[in-house]
Amino acid sequence: MGNLRRKPEDSNILTERYFEKILVETRYLDAVIPDTSVELFGKTFATPVMTAALSHIPGKDGDGMVQMAQGAAEAGALTWVGMTTLEQYGEIAQTGAPLVRIIKPYKDEREIFSRIEQAEEEGAVAVGMDIDHSFNKRGQPDSVLGMPMSPKTTKDIASYCKRAKLPFLLKGVLSAQDAQKCLDTGVGGILVSHHHGIMASAVPALLVLPEIVKTVQGKIPIFVDGSFENGMDVFKALALGADAVCVGRALMPPIQQQGAEGCRQTIQDITDELAAAMARTGSRDIKHIDPSLLWIDGKRLH
């Protein structure tokens, strides 16, 4: 007989189901044309829709990572950059796009420090670490493209925050406990994420987001990613307290097929959908999206 053991649930499916369960009421009276702009790291962006920290994207007749940054900049959006070589990151930075550089939790700290320093020299707006890539599927330290990773302690993170001249962010926070540790170590922002289902049965980001928001109390920005594909998805995250949202896999086919223009157009389309949701709910700007607009299982979420 084959293996009949029941498998744990796919976290991406759980996330998509939770998106669908959250419903939104309308508020048309006294509504105005909405402003989707947002201020992040001292810069104003046209949209709270950001690229996810993607890596190794093939583009249309060129480097998809470079094209992603170009397209996001044209859409007035912030670009998060995932795993790259020093040379590739330099090419991405040459586009002039505002960047957040996310670094893997390398065992060799020289790999971490060289990337922090390059991000600072190349004008990034922030730098951070992808803490949810510390372990592999066997619970051992991960290896990515032959480079060994290692789990990081709060002491490690505090040292990176102190060393970096830019805000140091943590990607992969999925609990109020880790959010509190981020505050304690001086982190400059967090990305609530389960890394596209890197662990089965992970809590959906939007389910745990309100508790994280309550813990952080506005002291640092909170970002979120995971299966965001349209403006209503983004609206729900903003209503629950996120400052901005990363979109990843929804951008990959447009970048592969149309390059920078595909990225720009997709971000613009999602932003337009967000604006429509804001207009129909009386949300005049990003800071005034009322969490009481949201319903789940016949009850208001707030």
Side-chain angles (χ1 to χ4, degrees):
M1 296 179 63
N3 188 347
L4 299 179
R5 292 191 302 122
R6 180 172 56 82
K7 295 181 179 180
E9 292 195 79
D10 186 313
S11 297
N12 296 309
I13 294 175
L14 293 175
T15 293
E16 291 166 8
R17 287 177 186 164
Y18 195 71
F19 270 127
E20 294 169 356
K21 289 180 68 176
I22 300 175
L23 305 179
V24 182
E25 69 180 36
T26 59
R27 298 178 185 175
Y28 285 105
L29 294 178
D30 300 318
V32 299
I33 296 173
D35 176 6
T36 63
S37 67
V38 62
E39 184 174 329
L40 302 170
F41 307 114
K43 295 181 178 292
T44 300
F45 297 90
T47 176
V49 180
M50 312 176 293
T51 77
L54 299 174
S55 306
H56 320 301
I57 309 173
K60 181 184 179 183
D61 303 323
D63 188 330
M65 297 291 290
V66 172
Q67 293 169 4
M68 177 179 72
Q70 292 171 331
E74 291 170 6
L78 179 60
T79 298
W80 291 55
V81 179
M83 191 175 191
T84 66
T85 63
L86 295 175
E87 292 74 18
Q88 185 184 34
Y89 183 82
E91 294 173 1
I92 296 168
Q94 286 178 9
T95 66
L99 304 177
V100 174
R101 185 172 197 179
I102 296 299
I103 301 165
K104 295 296 181 189
Y106 295 106
K107 181 177 180 180
D108 184 348
E109 291 203 323
R110 291 174 298 181
E111 299 290 347
I112 296 171
F113 297 146
S114 65
R115 285 162 173 77
I116 290 176
E117 291 166 3
Q118 185 186 31
E120 293 169 346
E121 293 169 359
E122 297 282 4
V125 301
V127 66
M129 181 167 287
D130 188 3
I131 57 171
D132 52 11
H133 232 305
S134 300
F135 298 103
N136 62 23
K137 293 181 179 180
R138 302 185 306 278
Q140 300 300 311
D142 204 356
S143 177
V144 182
L145 298 180
M147 303 185 74
M149 306 290 133
S150 69
K152 302 302 178 184
T153 66
T154 51
K155 183 177 180 180
D156 292 331
I157 299 303
S159 71
Y160 304 149
C161 293
K162 186 175 181 179
R163 179 165 182 143
K165 299 175 184 177
L166 298 169
F168 192 86
L169 316 180
L170 281 194
K171 175 181 180 292
V173 174
L174 203 62
S175 67
Q177 178 173 315
D178 271 358
Q180 182 60 57
K181 289 182 177 180
C182 286
L183 291 177
D184 295 341
T185 55
V187 165
I190 58 175
L191 177 59
V192 181
S193 171
H194 59 50
H195 204 114
H196 197 65
I198 199 168
M199 183 182 80
S201 297
V203 61
L206 293 194
L207 180 55
V208 74
L209 180 58
E211 187 174 349
I212 291 175
V213 170
K214 184 178 180 180
T215 298
V216 170
Q217 296 182 335
K219 296 176 182 176
I220 56 175
I222 299 173
F223 310 113
V224 62
D225 74 8
S227 299
F228 287 88
E229 295 187 359
N230 56 63
M232 186 56 79
D233 290 346
V234 174
F235 179 88
K236 293 172 183 178
L238 297 174
L240 289 171
D243 292 287
V245 174
C246 288
V247 175
R249 292 180 183 269
L251 293 177
M252 293 170 67
I255 293 171
Q256 293 168 4
Q257 297 164 12
Q258 299 172 279
E261 174 57 21
C263 180
R264 184 204 67 79
Q265 186 62 60
T266 302
I267 292 175
Q268 185 61 60
D269 289 346
I270 294 173
T271 302
D272 289 345
E273 293 164 359
L274 168 63
M278 293 172 64
R280 291 167 174 155
T281 56
S283 307
R284 66 177 184 266
D285 57 37
I286 298 301
K287 293 183 179 180
H288 288 86
I289 299 179
D290 190 338
S292 70
L293 288 159
L294 305 185
W295 291 69
I296 189 167
D297 295 332
K299 298 179 181 179
R300 289 189 194 276
L301 275 173
H302 286 263

